[in-house]
Amino acid sequence: MAETIYDVIVVGAGVEGCGTAYQLSKRGVRVLLLEQFPLPHGRGSSHGASRIIRKAYPQQIYTEMMNYSMEEWKRIEKETGVNIYKNTGFMSIGNLSDKNLQNYMNSMKMNNAPYEALTPEKFRERFPYLRFDDDIGAVHDLQGGILYADKCLQLLQKLYIKNGGVLKDAEKVEKILPGETVSIVTTKQTYTGRSLILCCGAWTGKILKNLDLELPLMPMKINVCYWSEKIPGAYSSRNNMCFSEDMKKSVCQPFHSYGLPSEEYPGLYKLCLHGGPEVDPEKRDATDSQWTISLLKVHVRKHFPGLIPEPSIVESCMYTVTPDDNFILDRHPKWKNIAIGAGFSGHGFKHAPAVGNILADLALGKQPEYDLSLFRISRFDRPQKSKL
């Protein structure tokens, strides 16, 4: 029997890989999606019940991409009849005079995304159970909210298979042989594709080294913390608050946290530090990250007086960050039939539909509709140290 040659092979069945495989399957191409772990699993960056979805970004390219991604998530929701999006609104908290928040508003305005600027007075009136300095306000993204992450991932996989896509899990990639066609050697067999897309999360750096490419990617362990309320419903129900903050005056410099009502554990509030220690993805559980919890305890005590400043539940996942916190969406410099989606830096989940379209275009030799300057490999003209 003749060997099957796939049009595109996608490695990594996290949300970016599944989103990419799904977009390819909609175009009618022959796709193989490979995953090293048995599905479902919690060893990467895409597991869990909830993620924040927002259009509020200081860089307009992300807001532009979110216009597409949000409509695509809603379309998937309508097609399947499964609720995956909850419109709670989203706040970016900070000083309204800061350039960063001004950029948020400019980006929203340029992309016709509805928002509201909350003056410090309005902010304190609407959120009396928060305690910030008198000069702190917020940009309120009216379409922001919660994505039900596990359901999103499951639906992408189901729709991909429904479209004729092939999914193989529990097959770790051992070797990639590039060329006019690309051969992928796994723990079980060898596959051949005309193009390859790598969406390997925290394992991307290790895989790329075997393809003569080193990128400044840093896998990072993130503690996902859930906090009990002193008064039931104060944070988890009232206003259903989703937020992020990049505070100049906090327990350390810099300090970036985010929070949302817990879909995993009703009655608890999900509040996390956007950062953590560098980690080997194979040894995540052995990496000490207690210092991030210690910082959060101080932060909660100072700014969230209605929460008990000791997490009730602590879980973990991984980010893979770039020095500038921007994605990598590009072709391999040497082998143009290998595309790379990496470095999603803790804010990539909601973008999976747009990312999938971009990577599909790159793998099929087409020009994506977005300006990808921010995501090019060429921006790393020399090795840089990762930072948030």
Side-chain angles (χ1 to χ4, degrees), residues 93-102 120 135-138 246-247:
I93 300 173
N95 193 308
L96 289 178
S97 63
D98 286 352
K99 183 179 178 181
N100 205 41
L101 283 192
Q102 290 294 325
D135 61 346
I136 295 299
D246 191 357
M247 305 302 294

Side-chain angles (χ1 to χ4, degrees), residues 50-52 88-91 93 145-146 225 227 235 240-245 256-262 269-273 304:
S50 61
R51 293 293 190 281
I52 291 174
T88 67
F90 165 83
M91 290 191 308
I93 300 173
I146 298 171
C225 299
W227 310 76
Y235 292 82
N240 287 316
M241 180 183 60
C242 294
F243 79 91
S244 74
E245 54 168 339
H256 187 180
S257 71
Y258 62 92
L260 61 157
S262 169
Y269 192 72
K270 185 176 179 179
L271 197 159
C272 311
L273 180 68
F304 296 81

Side-chain angles (χ1 to χ4, degrees), residues 70-338:
M70 187 169 282
E71 290 308 309
E72 186 72 351
W73 287 124
K74 289 179 181 178
R75 188 194 62 74
I76 289 172
E77 187 176 57
K78 185 175 181 181
E79 178 182 342
T80 61
V82 178
N83 177 222
I84 57 174
Y85 163 62
K86 184 177 183 179
N87 181 204
T88 67
F90 165 83
M91 290 191 308
S92 179
I93 300 173
N95 193 308
L96 289 178
S97 63
D98 286 352
K99 183 179 178 181
N100 205 41
L101 283 192
Q102 290 294 325
N103 288 338
Y104 274 86
M105 290 184 279
N106 291 339
S107 179
M108 300 282 280
K109 194 179 299 181
M110 286 177 63
N111 287 278
N112 297 313
Y115 74 94
E116 176 187 12
L118 298 180
T119 64
E121 293 74 25
K122 284 184 179 179
F123 178 71
R124 289 196 300 273
E125 179 183 339
R126 193 171 299 181
F127 303 102
Y129 45 90
L130 301 179
R131 187 180 294 148
F132 287 95
D133 292 346
D134 290 344
D135 61 346
I136 295 299
V139 174
H140 182 199
D141 177 348
L142 300 178
Q143 294 180 321
I146 298 171
L147 278 179
Y148 299 139
D150 282 343
K151 290 181 180 179
C152 290
L153 195 58
Q154 292 164 9
L155 289 178
L156 288 173
Q157 291 167 3
K158 287 179 180 178
L159 291 171
Y160 163 69
I161 293 170
K162 182 181 177 182
N163 289 343
V166 178
L167 172 58
K168 305 264 190 180
D169 65 346
E171 289 201 35
K172 186 173 184 177
V173 171
E174 293 190 325
K175 188 182 293 185
I176 296 174
L177 304 173
E180 200 166 313
T181 58
V182 185
S183 293
I184 311 297
V185 182
T186 76
T187 48
K188 294 184 178 178
Q189 65 182 95
T190 299
Y191 303 95
T192 302
R194 293 183 176 86
S195 294
L196 170 67
I197 300 176
L198 297 174
C199 293
C200 307
W203 287 264
T204 302
K206 291 184 177 184
I207 287 176
L208 288 178
K209 281 184 181 179
N210 294 321
L211 292 171
D212 301 322
L213 181 62
E214 290 198 37
L215 297 177
L217 293 167
M218 184 173 79
M220 183 181 285
K221 180 180 178 180
I222 303 298
N223 281 317
V224 183
C225 299
Y226 301 86
W227 310 76
S228 296
E229 301 164 313
K230 294 177 181 177
I231 301 174
Y235 292 82
S236 57
S237 298
R238 193 194 325 178
N239 292 308
N240 287 316
M241 180 183 60
C242 294
F243 79 91
S244 74
E245 54 168 339
D246 191 357
M247 305 302 294
K248 293 183 177 179
K249 299 177 182 178
S250 191
V251 296
C252 70
Q253 299 297 333
F255 190 90
H256 187 180
S257 71
Y258 62 92
L260 61 157
S262 169
E263 297 293 328
E264 293 89 333
Y265 307 107
L268 301 183
Y269 192 72
K270 185 176 179 179
L271 197 159
C272 311
L273 180 68
H274 184 75
E278 186 171 3
V279 68
D280 180 335
E282 304 288 355
K283 302 174 182 178
R284 181 180 86 189
D285 297 330
T287 301
D288 180 21
S289 56
Q290 184 61 40
W291 60 268
T292 67
I293 300 174
S294 298
L295 286 176
L296 276 171
K297 289 179 185 179
V298 176
H299 187 68
V300 167
R301 190 176 293 111
K302 183 177 180 181
H303 297 297
F304 296 81
L307 296 177
I308 296 172
E310 181 73 39
S312 295
I313 297 173
V314 178
E315 298 173 338
S316 70
C317 71
M318 289 184 290
Y319 291 174
T320 305
V321 301
T322 61
D324 56 12
D325 284 337
N326 294 315
F327 306 162
I328 294 172
L329 303 172
D330 205 351
R331 297 183 179 97
H332 191 289
K334 183 176 179 181
W335 292 291
K336 299 305 180 183
N337 59 347
I338 299 178

